[in-house]
Amino acid sequence: MKLGARMMKTGLAVGIALYIGQLIGFISPLLAAIAVVFSIQPSIYRSYQSIIEQIQGNSIGAIIAIIAVFTLGNDPFIVGFAIILVIGLTTSLKMNENTIALAVVAVIALMDTTDQTFLYFAGSRFSSMLLGILAAFIVNLVFLPPRYETRLFSKIDHATNDILQWLRVTTRQLSDEPALKYEITRLQDDMRWVDHTYLLYSEERTYFKGSRFSKGRKQVLFRQLITTTKKSFDVLKAFYRLEHKIEQIPEDFQDAVVQELDKLINAHEKLILSLKGRIKNTHKQSLRQIEEPDIPLLVERLMHVYEESNNPDKLVFLPLASQLMEYHYQLERLKKLLKSYQTHHQDDFIQTSEK
């Protein structure tokens, strides 16, 4: 079993909330632990948003619960009516599901039957829930803050390596079809995780003007990295769909496709290596000049193949040509953005691995 940072944060925050709740003498410190579970977030920015929203949601629940008890009592049907009001109000304010759920828990906890003074009872339970929310925020802020820059690059790097390896195998008609089908499904999930991690990375806030400018350039570069990887994945899917039809085109053209795609793959890999800092600055320019792919010429040759043949089935290769052109275009754009970033931010490296 792999223990993630969020799991450890949740356990630590629950322990802190229970300990402080018992130390202060709250009636129900268990409510603090419940609030923690609903309040832990994957990033500091979302944790900040969550603490504001959770306090608002719990305040709404507490106010409605107190009014309901003093005016209507705490009959079970009154509790249900109060919950309906809280859900309706928090939903209309577009609060998230965790906030709504915790507000409902607040209503149930505050409207419970007790022999104690109601205001003291309600205040103690409401304070317990606020303690849990604050404990979750502090733990998320201090303990193992997420490094989404490193995580994002790692996910892009792994997905790109897998895609490029499968492209090399598939273009040479060496791939196992069931295995490739499974890998395409897995890679689609990987790309969804890349998009999700990029969203979390883009939400991270910087507090210095110079850092904000650098972060903005990094975001643009990462977005282009993701776009380029997705285009390479589109090429892989196009080859997978045409695997049994490749033999319809002349062998010399098949060889040309493999050669040009290899050049694209090599160029893509060199850009990733450059980002990792594994290529010396003095050699970057010479590496870019080695075997530059000429995809427009390849597409032009494909058009000649169509003109020389009356077989309409060969038109199925037009989408492949389009995907190759788009992949080449996005790769060239990535090259320009990377060069620009490395020129203007020589001392601000992208964190590609944990220190």
Side-chain angles (χ1 to χ4, degrees), residues 282-300:
T282 54
H283 294 292
K284 285 177 184 174
Q285 189 61 35
S286 60
L287 282 171
R288 289 192 187 104
Q289 292 174 348
I290 296 174
E291 295 188 337
E292 284 285 353
D294 195 348
I295 298 300
L297 179 61
L298 181 69
V299 174
E300 185 179 341

Side-chain angles (χ1 to χ4, degrees), residues 191-203:
M191 294 312 301
R192 280 192 287 268
W193 274 109
V194 167
D195 288 335
H196 176 67
T197 308
Y198 176 79
L199 177 62
L200 294 174
Y201 171 69
S202 64
E203 288 177 347

Side-chain angles (χ1 to χ4, degrees), residues 341-353:
Y341 181 84
Q342 291 175 334
T343 300
H344 294 91
H345 300 276
Q346 296 180 3
D347 299 325
D348 190 4
F349 300 103
I350 293 176
Q351 298 299 323
T352 59
S353 60

Side-chain angles (χ1 to χ4, degrees), residues 244-251 254 305 309 311-317:
H244 299 296
K245 298 180 180 180
I246 294 290
E247 295 178 356
Q248 294 181 13
I249 58 178
E251 287 189 9
Q254 292 181 39
V305 171
S309 173
N311 187 353
D313 291 339
K314 291 185 179 180
L315 293 175
V316 298
F317 292 98

Side-chain angles (χ1 to χ4, degrees), residues 253-280:
F253 185 74
Q254 292 181 39
D255 294 338
V257 170
V258 171
Q259 291 173 7
E260 292 301 321
L261 188 59
D262 277 349
K263 294 176 184 177
L264 280 176
I265 292 171
N266 290 336
H268 200 165
E269 288 175 333
K270 288 167 188 171
L271 291 176
I272 297 293
L273 289 172
S274 180
L275 261 172
K276 290 180 177 181
R278 296 181 182 179
I279 297 178
K280 294 181 179 179

Side-chain angles (χ1 to χ4, degrees), residues 301-336:
R301 288 185 59 185
L302 182 60
M303 295 300 101
H304 287 306
V305 171
Y306 291 147
E307 291 172 1
E308 295 170 359
S309 173
N310 295 323
N311 187 353
D313 291 339
K314 291 185 179 180
L315 293 175
V316 298
F317 292 98
L318 283 176
L320 175 60
S322 174
Q323 297 291 357
L324 286 170
M325 285 288 291
E326 184 64 21
Y327 181 27
H328 180 246
Y329 169 76
Q330 296 298 341
L331 204 55
E332 288 296 314
R333 191 163 184 268
L334 174 61
K335 185 187 298 183
K336 292 176 182 177

